[in-house]
Amino acid sequence: MTYTAHWHSESGLPAPRRVIVADDRTKAAVAYRLACEGTALLWRGDYQGARQLLRALGSRLDRLAPKPGATPAETFHRHRQARGHRARVLGMLLVVLEDDHSLALRRAPDVRAACTEAYGPPRRRTVVSLRELLGVIGAHEWRRKGVPVPAVGGSIHPHYGVFSPVRGEYVDLVAAAPLPAAVHGAPADATAFDLGTGTGVLAAVLARRGLGRTVATDSSPRALACARDNVERLGIGDRVQVMDSGDLYPEGRAALVVCNPPWLPARPTSAVEQGVYDPDSAMLRAFLDGLAGHLQPGGEGWLILSDLAEHLGLRTRDALDEAFAAAGLRVVDRLDAKPRHPRASDASDPLHTARAAEVTSLWRLAPAT
């Protein structure tokens, strides 16, 4: 009997070359060996049994935590390699989404709404990894419940594949920073740009601060849809325009340009990681290089950036200062905040030393002349 289905991976992984059927009789040790060898397991048993097997595979992988490297950068790269291996092995446990996005497994939840939000309307039977599907289900709950953000006077509802504003310190920095001279006296007449808006949270903060018009840009269709959804939920659609500018910047100039680029110069391996990793600091450099040409007189650019990359040896403060100077910019001021997320105090985290020392900064930048 031949069984066919469409393969889908949000991480862009190729379809496994070898697949066998697995069910509740499959032992965790056997499943682990096969997954490490590159054989995928198509689960046809009980849904809760599949989740238990995934946890068992994860426990075996946790025993293989890499040793710290000689430098923070080496430790980071070893950690990334281990995470990549973990993702590949756990991604070998597969399930079938029927042609209506349902799971035909015993005790399976109704995942149709979650899958439609993440993947779009159902078209055909599809095979996905259980690990990815659990991420889709989790994202659906985040989207349904929302993330309370006091600075916007409500909640932000992240969509699948869009980085959630769970780290509130960078939002609070934008809510508290002094507005530039070009905005003083008439914020309702001022225009701001929010570059790489994601969920739209910073555009919403600017609207709550009285900016009359904010143009929020992003290149991700998911982010654009997410930002538009949040703008409408918050009732600020008359003050925030969400658009795909093609490039990072929209046309024209603004009194304030805000950018919260991914903080680590490394290559993302999934859609969600694009909010964390910026290969070769490309977005950061594009923001800096274009800023002077998009500011009105008396305007400022606000760069929100963590120094975690510096503590990991991935970027130096001198390199950041040189990038400011090369773009013809000067630092007006800098506001700092310590992280409040749990991982900053988790001593078991391989990157704990760097995370404990991390500071998130809002750099107020203006043209040097």
Side-chain angles (χ1 to χ4, degrees), residues 41-355:
L41 298 98
L42 182 65
W43 188 260
R44 305 303 288 168
D46 179 79
Y47 173 78
Q48 297 303 331
R51 294 194 61 178
Q52 291 173 5
L53 177 58
L54 192 67
R55 286 193 291 269
L57 296 178
S59 296
R60 282 168 166 77
L61 289 163
D62 289 341
R63 301 168 193 162
L64 303 176
K67 295 181 180 179
T71 65
E74 185 178 346
T75 298
F76 170 75
H77 290 302
R78 287 185 179 184
H79 174 67
R80 287 276 285 165
Q81 288 174 351
R83 296 292 296 179
H85 174 68
R86 178 187 179 87
R88 286 190 294 273
V89 172
L90 296 183
M92 288 294 176
L93 184 56
L94 313 179
V95 293
V96 177
L97 296 174
E98 302 298 332
D99 56 11
D100 63 349
H101 278 338
S102 65
L103 272 176
L105 300 175
R106 295 190 307 276
R107 294 199 292 169
D110 186 348
V111 300
R112 290 175 295 179
C115 290
T116 298
E117 288 174 354
Y119 301 140
R123 298 185 301 274
R124 53 195 170 185
R125 181 187 290 131
T126 304
V127 173
V128 299
S129 77
L130 176 60
R131 183 172 184 264
E132 179 178 303
L133 178 62
L134 293 176
V136 167
I137 295 170
H140 172 68
E141 290 302 308
W142 277 108
R143 180 171 175 172
R144 184 177 63 85
K145 296 177 181 178
V147 179
V149 180
V152 305
S155 294
I156 293 293
H157 296 257
H159 291 196
Y160 178 74
V162 183
F163 195 71
S164 175
V166 291
R167 292 190 53 165
E169 62 268 17
Y170 77 95
V171 178
D172 293 342
L173 286 171
V174 174
L179 294 172
V183 178
H184 288 168
D189 297 328
T191 293
F193 296 160
D194 174 24
L195 309 181
T197 192
T199 61
V201 62
L202 296 185
V205 171
L206 298 179
R208 294 299 187 210
R209 296 198 63 181
L211 275 291
R213 177 173 179 262
T214 297
V215 180
T217 70
D218 209 293
S219 60
S220 163
R222 282 175 170 158
L224 294 168
C226 180
R228 291 186 180 113
D229 178 32
N230 284 305
V231 164
E232 293 305 315
R233 287 176 183 267
L234 293 169
I236 54 175
D238 58 332
R239 285 170 286 162
V240 178
Q241 176 188 3
V242 180
M243 62 179 293
D244 181 354
S245 65
D247 295 321
L248 184 63
Y249 282 89
E251 294 183 358
R253 294 175 180 263
L256 175 61
V257 180
V258 176
C259 186
N260 176 32
W263 292 344
L264 296 177
R267 187 168 300 280
T269 59
S270 66
V272 173
E273 283 195 347
Q274 291 175 1
V276 180
Y277 299 106
D278 182 17
D280 300 321
S281 300
M283 184 176 175
L284 169 61
R285 294 186 181 279
F287 164 70
L288 296 176
D289 292 344
L291 181 58
H294 285 88
L295 283 177
Q296 296 173 356
E300 291 180 6
W302 289 358
L303 170 65
I304 301 96
L305 193 67
S306 158
D307 66 354
L308 182 61
E310 297 172 22
H311 296 294
L312 292 174
L314 306 178
R315 181 172 55 229
T316 66
R317 179 57 57 89
D318 286 345
L320 186 61
D321 291 338
E322 291 168 3
F324 292 160
L329 302 171
R330 62 183 175 89
V331 178
V332 176
D333 194 9
R334 191 186 81 210
L335 287 74
D336 296 333
K338 290 290 292 181
R340 303 190 296 265
H341 59 89
R343 296 178 73 181
S345 56
D346 181 5
S348 66
D349 188 323
L351 306 180
H352 170 67
T353 300
R355 294 193 195 279

